[in-house]
CSV table of all heavy atoms in Angstrom, one decimal:
chain,number,residue,atom,x,y,z
R,463,GLU,N,-32.9,-27.7,-10.9
R,463,GLU,CA,-32.8,-26.3,-10.7
R,463,GLU,C,-31.5,-25.8,-10.1
R,463,GLU,O,-31.2,-24.6,-10.0
R,463,GLU,CB,-34.0,-25.7,-9.9
R,463,GLU,CG,-34.2,-26.3,-8.5
R,463,GLU,CD,-34.9,-27.6,-8.4
R,463,GLU,OE1,-35.1,-28.3,-9.5
R,463,GLU,OE2,-35.4,-28.0,-7.3
R,464,GLU,N,-30.7,-26.8,-9.6
R,464,GLU,CA,-29.4,-26.4,-9.0
R,464,GLU,C,-28.3,-26.3,-10.1
R,464,GLU,O,-27.2,-25.7,-9.9
R,464,GLU,CB,-28.9,-27.4,-8.0
R,464,GLU,CG,-29.8,-27.4,-6.7
R,464,GLU,CD,-29.4,-28.4,-5.7
R,464,GLU,OE1,-29.0,-29.5,-6.0
R,464,GLU,OE2,-29.6,-28.1,-4.5
R,465,GLU,N,-28.6,-26.8,-11.3
R,465,GLU,CA,-27.6,-26.8,-12.4
R,465,GLU,C,-27.2,-25.3,-12.7
R,465,GLU,O,-26.0,-25.0,-12.9
R,465,GLU,CB,-28.1,-27.5,-13.6
R,465,GLU,CG,-28.2,-29.0,-13.5
R,465,GLU,CD,-28.7,-29.7,-14.7
R,465,GLU,OE1,-28.7,-29.1,-15.8
R,465,GLU,OE2,-29.2,-30.8,-14.6
R,466,GLU,N,-28.2,-24.5,-12.7
R,466,GLU,CA,-28.0,-23.1,-13.0
R,466,GLU,C,-27.1,-22.4,-12.0
R,466,GLU,O,-26.2,-21.6,-12.4
R,466,GLU,CB,-29.4,-22.4,-12.9
R,466,GLU,CG,-29.5,-20.9,-13.3
R,466,GLU,CD,-29.6,-20.7,-14.8
R,466,GLU,OE1,-30.1,-21.7,-15.5
R,466,GLU,OE2,-29.2,-19.7,-15.3
R,467,ILE,N,-27.2,-22.8,-10.8
R,467,ILE,CA,-26.4,-22.2,-9.7
R,467,ILE,C,-24.9,-22.6,-9.9
R,467,ILE,O,-24.0,-21.8,-9.8
R,467,ILE,CB,-26.8,-22.7,-8.3
R,467,ILE,CG1,-28.3,-22.3,-8.1
R,467,ILE,CG2,-25.9,-22.1,-7.2
R,467,ILE,CD1,-28.9,-22.8,-6.8
R,468,ILE,N,-24.7,-23.9,-10.3
R,468,ILE,CA,-23.4,-24.4,-10.6
R,468,ILE,C,-22.8,-23.7,-11.8
R,468,ILE,O,-21.6,-23.2,-11.8
R,468,ILE,CB,-23.3,-25.9,-10.8
R,468,ILE,CG1,-24.0,-26.6,-9.6
R,468,ILE,CG2,-21.9,-26.4,-11.0
R,468,ILE,CD1,-24.1,-28.1,-9.7
R,469,LEU,N,-23.6,-23.5,-12.9
R,469,LEU,CA,-23.1,-22.9,-14.1
R,469,LEU,C,-22.7,-21.4,-13.8
R,469,LEU,O,-21.6,-21.0,-14.2
R,469,LEU,CB,-24.2,-22.9,-15.1
R,469,LEU,CG,-24.5,-24.2,-15.8
R,469,LEU,CD1,-25.8,-24.2,-16.6
R,469,LEU,CD2,-23.3,-24.6,-16.7
R,470,ASN,N,-23.5,-20.7,-13.0
R,470,ASN,CA,-23.1,-19.4,-12.7
R,470,ASN,C,-21.9,-19.3,-11.8
R,470,ASN,O,-21.0,-18.4,-12.0
R,470,ASN,CB,-24.3,-18.7,-11.9
R,470,ASN,CG,-25.5,-18.4,-12.8
R,470,ASN,OD1,-25.4,-18.4,-14.0
R,470,ASN,ND2,-26.6,-18.3,-12.2
R,471,ALA,N,-21.8,-20.2,-10.9
R,471,ALA,CA,-20.6,-20.2,-10.0
R,471,ALA,C,-19.3,-20.5,-10.8
R,471,ALA,O,-18.3,-19.8,-10.7
R,471,ALA,CB,-20.7,-21.3,-8.9
R,472,LEU,N,-19.4,-21.4,-11.8
R,472,LEU,CA,-18.2,-21.7,-12.6
R,472,LEU,C,-17.9,-20.5,-13.5
R,472,LEU,O,-16.7,-20.2,-13.6
R,472,LEU,CB,-18.5,-23.0,-13.5
R,472,LEU,CG,-18.5,-24.3,-12.7
R,472,LEU,CD1,-19.0,-25.4,-13.5
R,472,LEU,CD2,-17.1,-24.6,-12.2
R,473,ALA,N,-18.9,-19.9,-14.0
R,473,ALA,CA,-18.6,-18.7,-14.9
R,473,ALA,C,-18.0,-17.6,-14.1
R,473,ALA,O,-17.0,-17.0,-14.5
R,473,ALA,CB,-20.0,-18.2,-15.5
R,474,GLU,N,-18.4,-17.4,-12.8
R,474,GLU,CA,-17.9,-16.4,-12.0
R,474,GLU,C,-16.4,-16.7,-11.6
R,474,GLU,O,-15.6,-15.8,-11.6
R,474,GLU,CB,-18.8,-16.3,-10.7
R,474,GLU,CG,-18.5,-15.2,-9.8
R,474,GLU,CD,-19.3,-15.5,-8.5
R,474,GLU,OE1,-20.6,-15.5,-8.6
R,474,GLU,OE2,-18.7,-15.7,-7.5
R,475,ILE,N,-16.2,-18.0,-11.3
R,475,ILE,CA,-14.8,-18.4,-11.0
R,475,ILE,C,-13.9,-18.1,-12.2
R,475,ILE,O,-12.7,-17.6,-12.0
R,475,ILE,CB,-14.8,-19.9,-10.5
R,475,ILE,CG1,-15.4,-20.0,-9.2
R,475,ILE,CG2,-13.4,-20.4,-10.5
R,475,ILE,CD1,-15.8,-21.4,-8.7
R,476,VAL,N,-14.3,-18.4,-13.3
R,476,VAL,CA,-13.5,-18.2,-14.5
R,476,VAL,C,-13.2,-16.8,-14.7
R,476,VAL,O,-12.0,-16.4,-14.9
R,476,VAL,CB,-14.2,-18.8,-15.8
R,476,VAL,CG1,-13.5,-18.3,-17.1
R,476,VAL,CG2,-14.2,-20.3,-15.8
R,477,THR,N,-14.2,-15.9,-14.5
R,477,THR,CA,-14.0,-14.5,-14.7
R,477,THR,C,-13.0,-13.9,-13.7
R,477,THR,O,-12.1,-13.2,-14.0
R,477,THR,CB,-15.3,-13.7,-14.5
R,477,THR,OG1,-16.3,-14.4,-15.2
R,477,THR,CG2,-15.2,-12.3,-15.1
Side-chain angles (χ1 to χ4, degrees):
E463 61 274 16
E464 290 177 329
E465 289 180 19
E466 184 83 25
I467 301 172
I468 303 177
L469 286 165
N470 290 339
L472 288 168
E474 189 191 294
I475 288 168
V476 166
T477 318

